[in-house]
Amino acid sequence: MAELNIFVFILLYLINSAVGSGILCEIGFCQKFVNDGGCSQPAADCSINNATHTGMWLPSPTLCNCCEYCLPFYGREQPCSLGGTGTGTNIGRCTDGYTCERHEDGGSYCQRMDTECHRAQDSYDQRSALGQVGVLEERPLCDGKGQYAHISCTPTQTCFCQTEHGERIFGEAPNLGAGMPEKMRCGCSMLYHKITTTISPGVPEPVTTPRCTSDGNFHPIQCVGNTCYCVDIITGRFLDGAERSVNLTEEPITKMVCYDRDLDNYPEQSEGDPPYKFTTSCYENIVEVSSWIQQSIEDGYNMEYHNSLPECLPDGSSGRIALLGNGTKICVDERGQPIKDYSAAPGTPEFDNMDCKCALTSHIMTSNELPVCCRNGNFRRIQCRRGVCWCVDAEGRQQGGESESIMTLACFNVAWRDC
Ligand SMILES: *[C@@H]1O[C@H](CO)[C@@H](O)[C@H](O)[C@H]1NC(C)=O
Ligand SMILES: *[C@@H]1O[C@H](CO)[C@@H](O)[C@H](O)[C@H]1NC(C)=O
Ligand SMILES: *[C@@H]1O[C@H](CO)[C@@H](O)[C@H](O)[C@H]1NC(C)=O
């Protein structure tokens, strides 16, 4: 199938470049081309678009893309082509989550990919058929390759970014229902995750990473040295235009068309006389520690630097857990402000396992039915609402159905109220 896609791409590319001048594809050309019978009937699948017949409209691989062209998607058990020579003129592909596999009868058919995310969906579906799915449990989202989609959502609560293996990464936003996967692409936090996990830890130099917003998208302003540019928050690509960049030596980021006051966690850096800044105390700390390390190497002694470079979150902050002078940890938001009075004293189990996930989730939620958090800001494992209770995982996602009696819950523990 890959060969076919590449072939279609090359074909489109050749046609586009041959006619790119626009001379051939002038107004009226397609009308004539179509009238002269230059087009063949597109596959019906795109127009039918029901449970068994779907497809995608694409630019047609014909002169000037005049014709309508439909790439059919084949569903479960439907015949498909494995590509290569002599496999016929069958030009659709298996639909998302399916792959073309040869069968013992000699034919090839679309089969659902066997992946962790699909198994999680199947388990959800089985429990759903038995009426064992909780009201706040959401069917896992998988991508076209059967891997976990880029977000995991809890109804009425929040969505957070995750890797293709379903591992939570930076980025969380209120769950506003339909459209979340498009609004929250997590491109920045995934890129950040890739950069930081690929580069071996213990590198004594600060690594350049993109600046993300708290929802995992790209911050609309990215700076290289002292020059800042406007970028697309979904793709991170630089947007053209002189008015879209500033030189911090002369002007603050507030002069940029893409400046958004709500996303500026450090407005004081744009105040007063030039030069201006677009940094954070966490980034400055990294630069400082890194220069000590460089100095110590030049001075000929080896400072132990392994893991000693401070780590910043992808939004440039130092984290969502802050350590007070007396050793107590508290939960803070993206601007470093304490969230309610969540805290944990040193030397306690609450201190060691503090993750502030519940504090952060309830801090950004728009619904007023907030989850119950432990004193240290973690999710309480039993949540109750409107006379029923259920279990949640450390991320606040419901696990299994509701019960009127908490003692029957799998996560029940006599000390449940104390977390
Ligand atoms: C979809 O439409 C096709 C063609 O009209 C029909 O043969 C098929 O049974 C339909 N499938 C479903 C599930 O309705
Ligand atoms: C930014 O402005 C300063 C001062 O005017 C100038 O020296 C520097 O070359 C400028 N940087 C760029 C990248 O244009
Ligand atoms: C540490 O300081 C905070 C804030 O000043 C206070 O609320 C807390 O009780 C102190 N903790 C300890 C263990 O002294």
Side-chain angles (χ1 to χ4, degrees):
M1 205 47 53
E3 289 86 344
L4 181 71
N5 288 338
I6 290 166
F7 172 66
V8 170
F9 172 76
I10 292 173
L11 198 61
L12 290 172
Y13 176 76
L14 288 178
I15 291 166
N16 281 332
S17 50
V19 296
S21 63
I23 297 167
L24 180 57
C25 292
E26 66 201 6
I27 303 159
F29 175 85
C30 278
Q31 189 103 49
K32 187 166 183 305
F33 188 84
V34 173
N35 286 345
D36 290 350
C39 297
S40 48
Q41 188 70 24
D45 306 68
C46 295
S47 331
I48 298 174
N49 200 22
N50 65 13
T52 50
H53 291 67
T54 59
M56 182 170 37
W57 291 109
L58 288 175
S60 66
T62 51
L63 219 49
C64 300
N65 312 131
C66 291
C67 306
E68 286 193 299
Y69 177 76
C70 170
L71 178 75
F73 288 160
Y74 305 131
R76 185 186 148 84
E77 305 287 323
Q78 285 189 276
C80 52
S81 162
L82 283 165
T85 51
T87 48
T89 52
N90 192 347
I91 59 155
R93 68 161 172 88
C94 292
T95 196
D96 282 351
Y98 286 77
T99 180
C100 195
E101 279 172 19
R102 196 177 297 285
H103 191 260
E104 46 205 41
D105 71 4
S108 301
Y109 303 92
C110 297
Q111 299 292 347
R112 191 151 186 268
M113 295 172 191
D114 181 23
T115 62
E116 205 184 327
C117 190
H118 279 169
R119 286 193 289 273
Q121 281 185 337
D122 294 345
S123 144
Y124 177 96
D125 295 342
Q126 275 164 16
R127 292 188 297 114
S128 175
L130 298 171
Q132 294 171 349
V133 161
V135 284
L136 293 183
E137 261 192 279
E138 194 149 293
R139 188 172 188 262
L141 289 174
C142 307
D143 67 14
K145 292 179 185 140
Q147 305 291 340
Y148 281 94
H150 58 283
I151 56 171
S152 172
C153 298
T154 299
T156 77
Q157 210 159 281
T158 59
C159 296
F160 56 78
C161 300
Q162 61 182 0
T163 65
E164 58 182 17
H165 303 296
E167 170 199 355
R168 183 173 179 169
I169 55 174
F170 179 83
E172 184 177 21
N175 184 354
L176 303 176
M180 283 313 287
E182 291 74 39
K183 275 183 258 177
M184 188 174 170
R185 295 295 312 178
C186 300
C188 186
S189 72
M190 287 197 285
L191 179 60
Y192 179 93
H193 180 75
K194 199 170 273 177
I195 294 173
T196 49
T197 50
T198 311
I199 296 175
S200 63
V203 178
E205 299 271 352
V207 174
T208 307
T209 48
R211 179 91 73 101
C212 310
T213 45
S214 55
D215 58 4
N217 284 336
F218 286 92
H219 193 288
I221 300 175
Q222 304 281 336
C223 303
V224 180
N226 256 343
T227 312
C228 300
Y229 303 88
C230 290
V231 305
D232 183 300
I233 61 166
I234 301 295
T235 63
R237 288 211 189 92
F238 290 122
L239 300 172
D240 303 327
E243 78 285 2
R244 296 191 195 275
S245 76
V246 299
N247 179 343
L248 289 177
T249 321
E250 294 158 354
E251 287 187 305
I253 54 163
T254 48
K255 292 275 188 271
M256 301 176 76
V257 284
C258 56
Y259 177 77
D260 179 347
R261 178 70 182 79
D262 289 341
L263 297 178
D264 189 359
N265 296 337
Y266 311 92
E268 65 285 355
Q269 298 188 343
S270 298
E271 287 162 7
D273 296 327
Y276 302 99
K277 288 199 289 188
F278 182 66
T279 184
T280 70
S281 49
C282 188
Y283 290 147
E284 291 186 323
N285 201 8
I286 289 190
V287 171
E288 194 180 335
V289 173
S290 159
S291 69
W292 297 338
I293 294 168
Q294 289 308 323
Q295 193 58 47
S296 70
I297 292 170
E298 278 160 32
D299 292 348
Y301 60 91
N302 221 347
M303 195 162 115
E304 185 64 62
Y305 67 77
H306 187 63
N307 285 339
S308 71
L309 270 192
E311 275 183 37
C312 307
L313 289 186
D315 65 355
S317 69
S318 312
R320 298 289 191 260
I321 301 175
L323 192 61
L324 298 181
N326 64 8
T328 298
K329 285 202 291 198
I330 59 167
C331 301
V332 295
D333 67 11
E334 69 275 17
R335 289 167 202 248
Q337 297 302 313
I339 301 174
K340 294 204 175 143
D341 53 2
Y342 298 113
S343 67
T348 59
E350 292 77 40
F351 182 92
D352 297 331
N353 66 24
M354 183 177 198
D355 61 28
C356 294
K357 284 173 178 168
C358 182
L360 289 159
T361 294
S362 45
H363 181 63
I364 64 170
M365 273 175 68
T366 50
S367 154
N368 49 19
E369 285 190 300
L370 299 176
V372 176
C373 306
C374 302
R375 280 186 308 260
N376 67 355
N378 291 9
F379 276 98
R380 193 179 73 182
R381 290 310 172 94
I382 297 184
Q383 298 286 327
C384 301
R385 209 174 289 167
R386 302 177 193 167
V388 288
C389 299
W390 59 88
C391 299
V392 300
D393 66 8
E395 316 295 341
R397 289 177 290 200
Q398 182 168 357
Q399 310 274 290
E402 301 81 27
S403 170
E404 285 176 15
S405 154
I406 54 164
M407 307 224 317
T408 61
L409 292 172
C411 59
F412 176 75
N413 169 323
V414 281
W416 68 280
R417 278 179 197 281
D418 304 330
C419 292

